[in-house]
Amino acid sequence: MSRPLIADIDLDALRHNYRLAAGLAPGSLSVAVLKADAYGHGAVACARALSGEAPMFAVAAIEEAVALREAGIEEPIVLLEGIFSADELAQVEALGLGMAIHSDWQLEAALARRPARPIPVWLKVDSGMHRLGFPPERAEAAWRALEAAPECVCDLHLMSHFATADSTDAGYFQRQRECIVALAERLDAPTCLANSPSILAQPSAHGAINRPGVMLYGADPLEVANSASQQLAPVMSLRSEIIAVRELSAGEPVGYGGRFVTSRPSRIGVVACGYGDGYDRHAVDGTPVLVDGKRTHVAGKVSMDMMTVDLSELPEAGIGSEVVLWGRSRHGGVLSVDEVARFCDTISYTLLTGVLPRVPRRYNGAVSD
Ligand SMILES: *Cc1c(COP(=O)(O)O)cnc(C)c1O
């Protein structure tokens, strides 16, 4: 028996979530975002699972695209931030990638090179996120330059990213949407706009191409869940076991700094999972966990390899009991990663991408190497 900590990845749930994303936007091509090792789920395994469903994948960097190509993934792959230096263009060409163009230097580099096959390009416009992209008033010239170079670039789309699509206050979202839609109409350009929150909650942002990310992994990015997001199924279950039990009288501190102090005679379970595995050290006392499918909570600061949970209300629980940090219990019951994130003052994105390499990933019941 090895250390009882594993990230169980349910690839059927991944496909279910992809179909949900695609079904919510029947007029759009849904590109599965696999950056950051598929948000911690394993990009190669997720790409294989979505092969035949998703017509295209997206990643953040060329290294991530190389890893997919080396694993035999043949679908089109797009670099969401494009190249980071002009010399990457040779690899873009060799690997048959598409790319975003968000800056003048990228545009010049793309137009200065005559590839064997033109490179698919998404022109990124800053409609209000104020991170990457051409200002709207300069986007038209960039678009015209790309249109005039069919030997260099192809499959042109106008791309933009929303800052507040997850919010119940749609004011700023509408301003961004109107900006980019007006530009697209003027240029007669197909659009690539929607990330997970806009796919789930803002059909007016569905374009020729959508870019679902976190929703594929079953996390709900919306500030307030809606009927679509409630259909998402968790893909990762982070699963460990109780490895020791302490019986403590009232008034005893538990763990580093004695943050948690027993208010009654208590049974404290020690779980083989800590921040050295990626579990968030910001988890407060009261952060939910499932023990044999029943809810209880963190009691004491998370340490590197272990954490402590309150078993006082769970007399049957003991050494070997299953502990689900988020995801699905074998005993029934689900703990959403979004709920855990709220107790850690963060978002599900950071918890999922934060699961460290020492946690083995097991796909549909089989551990991968
Ligand atoms: C990460 C990313 C996405 C996916 O966003 P989600 O909120 O995870 O759906 C879409 N577009 C771009 C440009 C991204 O960087």
Side-chain angles (χ1 to χ4, degrees), residues 61-215:
I62 208 151
E63 292 76 10
E64 296 179 326
V66 169
L68 291 175
R69 285 283 183 260
E70 283 178 350
I73 302 301
E74 293 177 348
E75 278 81 358
I77 301 174
V78 183
L79 303 175
L80 289 167
E81 290 147 50
I83 50 173
F84 292 89
S85 59
D87 59 9
E88 287 186 346
L89 272 179
Q91 256 178 308
V92 167
E93 191 188 335
L95 297 172
L97 307 179
M99 61 184 182
I101 289 184
H102 62 72
S103 294
D104 287 315
W105 73 266
Q106 288 179 326
L107 182 68
E108 286 159 22
L111 298 182
R113 196 185 151 86
R114 180 68 67 94
R117 273 172 301 148
I119 297 171
V121 162
W122 297 352
L123 181 70
K124 187 152 190 181
V125 177
D126 177 11
S127 59
M129 178 83 166
H130 299 327
R131 198 176 57 178
L132 291 183
F134 288 82
E137 63 277 11
R138 292 190 32 236
E140 177 160 359
W143 182 263
R144 299 285 179 222
L146 290 167
E147 270 188 332
E151 69 287 5
C152 301
V153 294
C154 64
D155 296 340
L156 299 181
H157 283 74
L158 211 52
M159 173 190 191
S160 201
H161 199 62
F162 296 113
T164 62
D166 57 325
S167 170
T168 50
D169 177 355
Y172 196 71
F173 164 81
Q174 290 303 356
R175 201 178 115 183
Q176 279 197 268
R177 192 190 71 84
E178 280 158 26
C179 165
I180 194 72
V181 167
L183 183 64
E185 279 173 7
R186 203 163 69 242
L187 300 176
D188 196 22
T191 57
C192 172
L193 307 179
N195 56 354
S196 297
S198 13
I199 291 165
L200 288 163
Q202 306 288 0
S204 68
H206 298 176
I209 297 179
N210 286 348
R211 311 186 301 267
V214 81
M215 70 177 292

Side-chain angles (χ1 to χ4, degrees), residues 271-287:
V271 183
C273 179
Y275 63 78
D277 303 297
Y279 191 88
D280 198 323
R281 189 175 166 280
H282 297 99
V284 296
D285 294 330
T287 303

